[in-house]
Amino acid sequence: MKVRQKRFAYIMVGLMVIGIATALILNALNSNVAFYFTPTQVFNKEVPLNKAFRIGGLVEAGSMKREGDGLTVHFVVTDTARSMPVVFKGILPDLFREGKGVVAQGKLEADGVFRAEDVLAKHDENYMPPEAKSAIEQAQKQKGVKP
């Protein structure tokens, strides 16, 4: 093998190793990334099927109900345009309240209920998750445009 052929072979092997490493990294990232959607986007079926994502907005007043086991909680997340029923089994954050901002991560089930695996709530009086705030502002703009 000539020097030029050896150099070409090394470059090709190097490119293959870099390509395989990149594919493995992207695959790992893709399985761990949870995109954020609003209830309106979920209603418009813009969400990936059978994949975890985040939903955010306000916890609708009067929507929170606990089951007899004390751990399963049903509530509704709204962006003021659309609402999404959410089921969460676990301990809610101390600051979780009706009428306050929330972001829940989980999967949408076939019956249209979002089963949350993790729930995040605001952490002070004036704070609202940026995604939830943006979703509410966008929904209010859409309400203003549509009669």
Side-chain angles (χ1 to χ4, degrees), residues 95-118:
L95 299 173
F96 181 87
R97 302 273 188 277
E98 292 181 347
K100 300 296 181 184
V102 67
V103 174
Q105 182 173 337
K107 290 183 179 179
L108 184 64
E109 296 190 342
D111 58 357
V113 175
F114 185 81
R115 184 159 305 273
E117 298 165 357
D118 193 19

Side-chain angles (χ1 to χ4, degrees), residues 64-117:
M64 190 170 134
K65 293 180 178 81
R66 286 191 184 271
E67 287 187 5
D69 63 0
L71 289 177
T72 305
V73 181
H74 298 258
F75 57 95
V76 175
V77 175
T78 181
D79 61 0
T80 68
R82 297 283 182 187
S83 298
M84 170 65 58
V86 177
V87 177
F88 175 69
K89 186 172 186 174
I91 299 172
L92 288 170
D94 290 338
L95 299 173
F96 181 87
R97 302 273 188 277
E98 292 181 347
K100 300 296 181 184
V102 67
V103 174
Q105 182 173 337
K107 290 183 179 179
L108 184 64
E109 296 190 342
D111 58 357
V113 175
F114 185 81
R115 184 159 305 273
E117 298 165 357

Side-chain angles (χ1 to χ4, degrees), residues 19-39:
I20 290 170
T22 302
L24 290 173
I25 290 170
L26 290 176
N27 187 29
L29 285 176
N30 193 26
S31 63
N32 291 324
V33 171
F35 293 104
Y36 177 83
F37 293 96
T38 64

Side-chain angles (χ1 to χ4, degrees), residues 40-54:
T40 300
Q41 289 173 312
V42 174
F43 182 79
N44 293 336
K45 300 184 188 246
E46 298 174 17
V47 297
L49 297 174
N50 299 325
K51 190 164 183 172
F53 62 92
R54 291 181 176 186

